[in-house]
Amino acid sequence: MPDPTSRAVREGNYNVDPGVQFWATPPVHGCLVDEVIHPAAYTFKLPDNLSFAEGALIEPFSVGMYAATKAGIKPGDVAAVVGAGTIGIMTAIAARAGGASTVFISDVLPQKLALLDGLEGIVTVDATKEDLGERVRAETGGWGPQVVFEATGAAPAYKKLWEMPAPGGRIVLVGMPVDPVPFDIATAQSRGISLETVFRYANVYQKAIDLAATDGVDLSRFVSETFAFDDSVQAFERFLEGRPTDVKIQIAL
Amino acid sequence: MPDPTSRAVREGNYNVDPGVQFWATPPVHGCLVDEVIHPAAYTFKLPDNLSFAEGALIEPFSVGMYAATKAGIKPGDVAAVVGAGTIGIMTAIAARAGGASTVFISDVLPQKLALLDGLEGIVTVDATKEDLGERVRAETGGWGPQVVFEATGAAPAYKKLWEMPAPGGRIVLVGMPVDPVPFDIATAQSRGISLETVFRYANVYQKAIDLAATDGVDLSRFVSETFAFDDSVQAFERFLEGRPTDVKIQIAL
Amino acid sequence: MPDPTSRAVREGNYNVDPGVQFWATPPVHGCLVDEVIHPAAYTFKLPDNLSFAEGALIEPFSVGMYAATKAGIKPGDVAAVVGAGTIGIMTAIAARAGGASTVFISDVLPQKLALLDGLEGIVTVDATKEDLGERVRAETGGWGPQVVFEATGAAPAYKKLWEMPAPGGRIVLVGMPVDPVPFDIATAQSRGISLETVFRYANVYQKAIDLAATDGVDLSRFVSETFAFDDSVQAFERFLEGRPTDVKIQIAL
Amino acid sequence: MPDPTSRAVREGNYNVDPGVQFWATPPVHGCLVDEVIHPAAYTFKLPDNLSFAEGALIEPFSVGMYAATKAGIKPGDVAAVVGAGTIGIMTAIAARAGGASTVFISDVLPQKLALLDGLEGIVTVDATKEDLGERVRAETGGWGPQVVFEATGAAPAYKKLWEMPAPGGRIVLVGMPVDPVPFDIATAQSRGISLETVFRYANVYQKAIDLAATDGVDLSRFVSETFAFDDSVQAFERFLEGRPTDVKIQIAL
């Protein structure tokens, strides 16, 4: 929750308000309590055709939605996503539903890419066998993707990132690397690239719900397992296993 | 074809280059000849999964694509289209494929709206029974559509246009009225509306083809009838009938 | 003052928040009282080199600043302003200080234009003798202004407005006509024009103060007359005279 | 000169056309010949109040203009420029003339900063004594500059770059470092920063000339020395000295 009178809020960027409180980030411990009081302005109603499980996925989907919004996708643009973790997957789905004709997404773990099997307009690229940039250029007459999302935050992913977008294209930095990464500015300049950074999200929750409620977006497939409330400890233990194919673990009430 | 050295072309707006030649606009008579020589830069290859019939629909679809591009749709925006003629239909499809969560489209002729039956994310509104603006507000908690496309060019359609978008929203003027229309500037100002105008298209052909090739977009349903080449005269006569449900008449070669 | 938790505020458009209260608009009677309590978030400190008289002009200047901001002026753009009333003048100064190389401004009253005499980069055009659009085209090799501000709200001013901008240019509607005006959409379309509307202002007060504090902007010349507090009634009577050259009447405390 | 039918040109980005030929970049040897034939579309007429010396500075000024354009400066924004070399100086002047209220510019060489002495709205910061970011924050109530230009290309300059802009601000990368530089993505993300890259320029020459012709911009002070044509060899030798205060050496014809 941002401070509603701060300058960042007035300018429409409440996510970067230095005074924002996030209910999952220290010093706030999350919402595992019986009752919470939350401002109506930042509370949203789920439509009837979305389950609570899908509702729980609206939060990570909103990060993807915010990334897709900042990308400034034009209808029919070709997009590329580096990394098929939860955020990469959510970004790919948001980019496709948000106007991209095709989204190419790569990962080094084939089982993560398999989570996207059968989704129309999403092409998976096994990064251990194929270079994402080369693949997209091959399928776009050498031009490349107008929009590239970096969703790993892993140092090696940045090596070929700066040359990937089409001339005049855009890189959206979603992954959050712990340390600074080498930035090949000269390459980015020669292609006239712009870059956007993503930090949580702002003004996309309602739109995330609206898109999630369409047939084109099916978040339910990413609920990896549902635990009964009495098995909550098991749910957290499962989360700590860090299975590569786990996107969201739900605890049903 | 624009003059490639003109100022409008250098600035990326080749559609408004005063020197542009359009192959369907006087003094150019169209392409009903055996052979044409056309610059490679403005010629595009159809992918294998698009028929020539769908290819013929890429031209009107490109108007819709250009309108959707100028609308600056953000992923999950709600859109409204006034008028379900060929251009209105193409705009609705481009807006939905281009990132809108729902596109509401109205017309006074139910048989035109019926052409869109069953398309996911497109809601038809019979303008003889229901007000488009009121309907969208009712379904968006009173907020209204972020983007409104005017696609009739008919004087009465502009009466309620200026109050239709959500605060900070956008009107895209696609229809081309013969005479000036009354513009309620004060209403538009009080809602902080911006407006874009559409004249043909620029830089969208490849993207139109890419989206038309996805499963989400099916242009083939809008080929109203196909005539053999020997029946070309009949095809033109059919066109002159002006049937409300005719979107595209194809002559097969 | 907007409702800080409203949707319009969260999206950064607090000026079009339907719940906004404006301290000069019914039902609020203005601030002619001994003491007011105003939220700190919407209160600004004047720097030492601005007088209270200039401070009083920050409000109308902010309308010009918001217009210039919405215009999306690119450095060196040529601008045109229709009407040299208080808002037209403030818009011309904001546009020039905001990046335009030259601002052409027209009015039918030469004494209003005379208020701008000697200001660098501002060219006055007597609308009774010369057409604003023709003049700008003549001085820009036929291209026209990239940005046009309408600042009269008077019906006749709209007649030639739609053809005035350069191809791909923008019209900013600042003046607020009482009745709808005829909008020549076809002309605007053939030139690829976009339009923005202005309603008060948002997020520009600090920037208005910063520019007003530069040598390039001198608002003090627009304080037409200063009255002592005991002569306040005279000040209001003077205002009611509606002298064409009166921009701001100050009451000193 | 770009290939006028290329895709980059059609999209308005002729500077990143891979086929562009630049008349100072191998394999083209420059224009030190008696006569050149140059396409009219990329040739501009100097107005009477600009000397040929100032005309010679339009080229580097255009880089600054393109940087200021890509910065998307809003009227009254505060800007910061890292580095007062030729390009840094030209960028600072373009940013100030292009709408910034104040431009703070830093360098480690005081004699370079001295070249800007007395220019209104430009504040020099000696980087050996003071941190640019801290200085701007101190003068903007802790908020920072909305726009930051990096104009050195020197590795140490990037260390504090990512934290410098105000929340939601923009970094424009003008300097071209030889090697990749460390990019602190997490810091840029937490402030919601966007980045633009600059490579030469596109569509700004006429606007550069128009601004250079105003009183607010005086490029003539940056002609460091003028040599007669017969002393051309001396002129090149002077250039090779690399004096820190040399901005442009002119050879008069």
Side-chain angles (χ1 to χ4, degrees):
Chain A
M1 284 176 295
D3 166 5
T5 65
S6 76
R7 180 163 179 177
V9 171
R10 291 200 310 275
E11 297 186 358
N13 305 311
Y14 61 76
N15 58 321
V16 294
D17 174 17
V20 77
Q21 283 198 331
F22 202 73
W23 280 12
T25 303
V28 183
H29 287 290
C31 316
L32 293 179
V33 290
D34 283 346
E35 222 173 61
V36 295
I37 296 173
H38 193 266
Y42 298 95
T43 310
F44 299 88
K45 188 178 180 312
L46 280 183
D48 293 338
N49 67 341
L50 284 186
S51 65
F52 284 121
E54 289 168 303
L57 277 152
I58 294 294
E59 202 275 340
F61 187 48
S62 288
V63 178
M65 284 290 291
Y66 192 54
T69 303
K70 283 216 151 182
I73 297 170
K74 293 194 177 116
D77 272 355
V78 172
V81 179
V82 184
T86 300
I87 295 301
I89 283 175
M90 292 296 148
T91 299
I93 289 171
R96 172 70 179 109
S101 54
T102 308
V103 180
F104 295 83
I105 179 168
S106 70
D107 205 286
V108 292
L109 293 177
Q111 61 268 50
K112 281 181 182 284
L113 295 172
L115 292 167
L116 295 158
D117 275 356
L119 290 182
E120 210 270 316
I122 297 190
V123 177
T124 58
V125 174
D126 183 339
T128 64
K129 295 183 180 157
E130 210 179 353
D131 181 74
L132 177 60
E134 276 171 34
R135 172 69 181 275
V136 183
R137 282 190 294 276
E139 303 217 18
T140 55
W143 189 249
Q146 279 92 357
V147 179
V148 177
F149 299 90
E150 203 299 314
T152 70
Y158 295 90
K159 199 171 155 43
K160 295 188 127 180
L161 184 66
W162 322 107
E163 68 181 41
M164 210 184 291
R170 180 169 289 181
I171 294 170
V172 182
L173 298 163
V174 193
M176 198 178 270
V178 177
D179 295 310
V181 303
F183 181 6
D184 182 355
I185 290 178
T187 292
Q189 286 170 323
S190 70
R191 303 181 75 77
I193 303 309
S194 67
L195 299 98
E196 292 285 336
T197 61
V198 169
F199 186 65
R200 295 170 183 155
Y201 37 77
N203 291 316
V204 297
Y205 238 82
Q206 185 61 55
K207 295 175 188 181
I209 291 170
D210 289 349
L211 272 182
T214 64
D215 284 3
V217 174
D218 173 21
L219 298 181
S220 68
R221 66 191 279 155
F222 300 112
V223 179
S224 310
E225 184 105 37
T226 300
F227 289 85
F229 183 71
D230 290 340
D231 301 328
S232 295
V233 173
Q234 272 173 267
F236 280 91
E237 279 167 354
R238 164 71 174 266
F239 172 74
L240 289 171
E241 283 180 39
R243 295 193 195 173
T245 54
D246 273 0
V247 176
K248 194 86 186 182
I249 311 291
Q250 188 195 15
I251 299 172
L253 291 175
Chain B
M1 283 177 297
D3 167 5
T5 65
S6 76
R7 181 163 178 176
V9 171
R10 290 200 310 275
E11 297 186 357
N13 306 311
Y14 60 76
N15 57 321
V16 294
D17 174 17
V20 77
Q21 282 199 332
F22 202 73
W23 281 12
T25 303
V28 183
H29 288 290
C31 316
L32 293 180
V33 292
D34 283 346
E35 221 174 64
V36 296
I37 296 173
H38 193 266
Y42 298 95
T43 309
F44 299 87
K45 190 177 179 311
L46 280 183
D48 293 338
N49 66 341
L50 285 185
S51 66
F52 284 122
E54 289 169 302
L57 277 152
I58 294 294
E59 202 276 339
F61 186 50
S62 287
V63 178
M65 285 289 290
Y66 192 54
T69 303
K70 282 216 151 181
I73 297 169
K74 293 194 177 115
D77 273 355
V78 172
V81 179
V82 185
T86 301
I87 295 301
I89 285 174
M90 293 295 149
T91 299
I93 290 170
R96 172 71 180 110
S101 54
T102 308
V103 180
F104 295 83
I105 179 168
S106 70
D107 204 286
V108 292
L109 293 177
Q111 61 269 49
K112 281 182 182 285
L113 295 171
L115 292 167
L116 294 158
D117 275 357
L119 290 182
E120 210 271 318
I122 296 189
V123 176
T124 58
V125 175
D126 182 338
T128 63
K129 296 183 181 158
E130 210 179 354
D131 180 74
L132 177 61
E134 276 172 33
R135 171 71 181 275
V136 182
R137 281 191 294 276
E139 303 217 17
T140 54
W143 189 249
Q146 279 92 357
V147 179
V148 176
F149 299 91
E150 203 299 313
T152 70
Y158 295 90
K159 200 171 153 44
K160 295 188 128 180
L161 184 65
W162 322 108
E163 68 181 41
M164 212 184 289
R170 181 169 289 180
I171 294 170
V172 182
L173 298 163
V174 193
M176 197 179 269
V178 178
D179 295 310
V181 303
F183 181 6
D184 182 355
I185 291 177
T187 292
Q189 286 170 323
S190 70
R191 302 181 75 76
I193 303 308
S194 66
L195 299 98
E196 292 285 336
T197 61
V198 168
F199 186 65
R200 294 170 183 156
Y201 37 76
N203 291 317
V204 296
Y205 238 82
Q206 185 61 55
K207 295 175 187 180
I209 291 170
D210 289 349
L211 273 182
T214 63
D215 283 2
V217 175
D218 173 20
L219 298 181
S220 67
R221 65 191 280 154
F222 301 110
V223 179
S224 310
E225 184 103 40
T226 300
F227 289 85
F229 182 71
D230 289 341
D231 301 328
S232 295
V233 173
Q234 274 173 266
F236 280 90
E237 280 166 352
R238 163 73 173 265
F239 172 75
L240 289 171
E241 283 179 39
R243 296 192 195 173
T245 53
D246 274 0
V247 177
K248 193 87 185 180
I249 312 290
Q250 186 195 17
I251 300 171
L253 292 177
Chain C
M1 282 178 298
D3 167 4
T5 65
S6 75
R7 181 164 178 177
V9 171
R10 292 200 309 275
E11 296 187 357
N13 305 312
Y14 61 77
N15 56 321
V16 294
D17 175 17
V20 77
Q21 283 198 330
F22 203 71
W23 280 12
T25 303
V28 183
H29 287 289
C31 315
L32 293 179
V33 290
D34 282 345
E35 223 174 60
V36 296
I37 296 173
H38 193 266
Y42 298 95
T43 310
F44 299 88
K45 190 179 178 308
L46 280 183
D48 294 337
N49 67 341
L50 283 185
S51 65
F52 284 121
E54 289 169 303
L57 277 153
I58 294 294
E59 202 276 339
F61 185 50
S62 288
V63 178
M65 285 289 291
Y66 192 54
T69 303
K70 282 216 152 181
I73 298 170
K74 295 197 177 113
D77 272 356
V78 172
V81 179
V82 183
T86 300
I87 295 301
I89 284 175
M90 292 296 148
T91 299
I93 290 171
R96 172 71 179 110
S101 55
T102 308
V103 180
F104 294 83
I105 180 169
S106 71
D107 204 287
V108 292
L109 293 178
Q111 61 269 47
K112 281 181 183 284
L113 295 171
L115 292 167
L116 294 158
D117 275 355
L119 289 182
E120 210 270 316
I122 296 189
V123 176
T124 59
V125 174
D126 182 338
T128 64
K129 296 182 181 159
E130 211 179 353
D131 181 75
L132 176 61
E134 277 172 32
R135 171 69 180 276
V136 182
R137 283 191 293 277
E139 304 217 17
T140 54
W143 189 249
Q146 279 92 356
V147 179
V148 176
F149 299 91
E150 202 299 313
T152 70
Y158 296 89
K159 199 171 155 44
K160 295 188 129 181
L161 184 66
W162 321 108
E163 69 182 40
M164 212 184 288
R170 180 168 290 182
I171 294 171
V172 182
L173 298 163
V174 194
M176 197 179 270
V178 178
D179 296 310
V181 303
F183 180 6
D184 182 356
I185 290 178
T187 292
Q189 286 170 323
S190 70
R191 303 181 75 76
I193 302 308
S194 67
L195 299 98
E196 292 284 336
T197 60
V198 168
F199 186 65
R200 294 172 184 154
Y201 38 76
N203 291 317
V204 297
Y205 238 81
Q206 185 61 55
K207 295 175 187 182
I209 291 170
D210 288 350
L211 272 183
T214 63
D215 284 3
V217 174
D218 174 19
L219 298 181
S220 67
R221 66 189 282 155
F222 300 111
V223 179
S224 309
E225 183 105 38
T226 300
F227 288 85
F229 182 71
D230 289 341
D231 300 330
S232 295
V233 175
Q234 273 173 267
F236 279 91
E237 279 167 354
R238 162 72 174 264
F239 171 74
L240 289 171
E241 282 179 42
R243 296 192 194 174
T245 54
D246 274 359
V247 177
K248 193 87 185 180
I249 312 290
Q250 186 194 17
I251 299 171
L253 292 176
Chain D
M1 284 179 295
D3 167 4
T5 65
S6 75
R7 181 163 177 177
V9 171
R10 291 201 309 275
E11 297 186 358
N13 305 312
Y14 60 75
N15 57 320
V16 294
D17 175 19
V20 76
Q21 283 198 331
F22 202 72
W23 281 14
T25 302
V28 182
H29 287 290
C31 314
L32 294 178
V33 291
D34 283 345
E35 222 172 62
V36 295
I37 295 173
H38 193 267
Y42 298 95
T43 310
F44 299 88
K45 189 177 178 311
L46 280 182
D48 293 338
N49 67 341
L50 284 185
S51 65
F52 284 122
E54 289 168 304
L57 277 153
I58 294 294
E59 202 275 341
F61 186 49
S62 288
V63 179
M65 285 289 291
Y66 191 55
T69 302
K70 283 215 150 182
I73 298 170
K74 293 195 177 113
D77 272 355
V78 172
V81 179
V82 184
T86 300
I87 294 303
I89 285 175
M90 292 295 148
T91 298
I93 290 171
R96 172 70 180 110
S101 54
T102 309
V103 180
F104 294 83
I105 179 168
S106 70
D107 205 287
V108 293
L109 294 177
Q111 61 269 47
K112 280 181 183 284
L113 295 172
L115 292 166
L116 294 158
D117 276 355
L119 290 182
E120 210 270 316
I122 297 188
V123 177
T124 58
V125 175
D126 183 338
T128 64
K129 296 181 181 158
E130 211 180 352
D131 181 74
L132 176 61
E134 277 172 31
R135 171 69 182 275
V136 182
R137 282 191 293 276
E139 303 218 16
T140 54
W143 189 249
Q146 279 91 356
V147 179
V148 176
F149 299 92
E150 203 299 313
T152 70
Y158 295 89
K159 197 169 156 44
K160 294 188 128 180
L161 184 65
W162 321 107
E163 68 182 40
M164 211 184 288
R170 181 169 287 182
I171 294 170
V172 182
L173 298 162
V174 194
M176 199 178 268
V178 178
D179 296 310
V181 303
F183 181 6
D184 182 355
I185 290 177
T187 293
Q189 286 170 323
S190 69
R191 303 182 73 77
I193 303 308
S194 67
L195 299 98
E196 292 284 335
T197 60
V198 168
F199 186 65
R200 293 172 184 153
Y201 37 76
N203 292 316
V204 297
Y205 237 81
Q206 185 61 54
K207 295 174 187 181
I209 291 170
D210 289 350
L211 273 183
T214 63
D215 283 3
V217 175
D218 174 20
L219 298 180
S220 67
R221 65 190 282 156
F222 301 111
V223 180
S224 309
E225 182 104 40
T226 301
F227 289 84
F229 182 71
D230 290 342
D231 300 329
S232 295
V233 174
Q234 272 173 266
F236 279 91
E237 280 167 352
R238 163 71 174 266
F239 171 76
L240 289 172
E241 283 179 40
R243 295 191 195 176
T245 54
D246 274 359
V247 177
K248 193 86 184 183
I249 311 291
Q250 187 195 15
I251 300 171
L253 292 176

